[in-house]
Amino acid sequence: ARAFYHNPVDKEYAVIQAIQQFVVMPEFHTTDIIERTGSDRETIDEPEPSNNEDYKAVVFLMLSGGFDSYNMLVPYSECDPVSGAYEDLYDQYRVMRGSMALRKDLGQINPINATRTDQPCKQMGLHSQFSALRGLYDDGDALFLANVGIMNEPIS
């Protein structure tokens, strides 16, 4: 994955390769302790499809730190007020994130239609480097569940 990142012929392909590494490599799983053995991984034959139905999967990426969900999917426009008073959620996001906020004026965010969801914005912004993911979303083959995951510490 590192070779794709540092010298990609096709940046979209490099992003897809990096995401695949997170999904398939046990070093990135958080459900078990991984011990390095120093030996090569066992080669596993690709399974045969059981039928002709479309394959569906839930892929869960827990992002934190400098690349959490608010550096991938952000409020964009046409947001209804959450509280009694109107406040632009993109402006609120920019204030909260400071210099780490993705910027519309710099082309860092591409708007996506969010009218088929039950959330306050009719448009959300997706990081401009995720064009393949945007295509999947636009085709109805992907969706976003932001700010969900395990609780890292008690909140009460």
Side-chain angles (χ1 to χ4, degrees):
R2 185 175 297 187
F4 288 111
Y5 178 78
H6 289 294
N7 191 15
V9 175
D10 178 357
K11 287 197 182 263
E12 186 172 316
Y13 180 71
V15 170
I16 290 169
Q17 290 298 310
I19 291 170
Q20 286 177 349
Q21 296 300 313
F22 280 112
V23 173
V24 301
M25 292 177 63
E27 288 83 356
F28 294 106
H29 294 182
T30 59
T31 58
D32 205 354
I33 297 173
I34 303 300
E35 295 181 15
R36 296 184 184 267
T37 64
S39 60
D40 291 337
R41 293 176 192 212
E42 177 184 346
T43 303
I44 300 172
D45 294 332
E46 193 169 315
E48 292 292 324
S50 59
N51 55 35
N52 291 330
E53 293 180 21
D54 287 340
Y55 176 76
K56 295 183 181 184
V58 174
V59 178
F60 178 82
L61 299 176
M62 183 168 172
L63 306 173
S64 62
F67 192 75
D68 59 14
S69 63
Y70 276 127
N71 267 355
M72 182 175 153
L73 185 69
V74 301
Y76 192 83
S77 68
E78 301 180 62
C79 301
D80 293 329
V82 177
S83 62
Y86 178 79
E87 185 174 359
D88 185 289
L89 294 181
Y90 175 74
D91 288 342
Q92 186 181 45
Y93 157 78
R94 284 210 43 206
V95 168
M96 297 301 291
R97 296 300 281 198
S99 63
M100 291 186 63
L102 297 175
R103 304 253 319 256
K104 292 180 188 179
D105 60 334
L106 297 179
Q108 296 174 328
I109 311 170
N110 292 322
I112 60 173
N113 181 354
T115 56
R116 48 181 198 223
T117 64
D118 185 23
Q119 53 86 37
C121 296
K122 293 180 182 169
Q123 283 192 321
M124 295 295 288
L126 184 63
H127 193 290
S128 61
Q129 294 295 310
F130 285 97
S131 57
L133 186 56
R134 180 183 181 183
L136 291 170
Y137 176 83
D138 289 343
D139 293 342
D141 292 326
L143 59 94
F144 299 99
L145 300 173
N147 299 321
V148 297
I150 62 169
M151 185 174 10
N152 292 326
E153 59 187 46
I155 58 174
S156 59

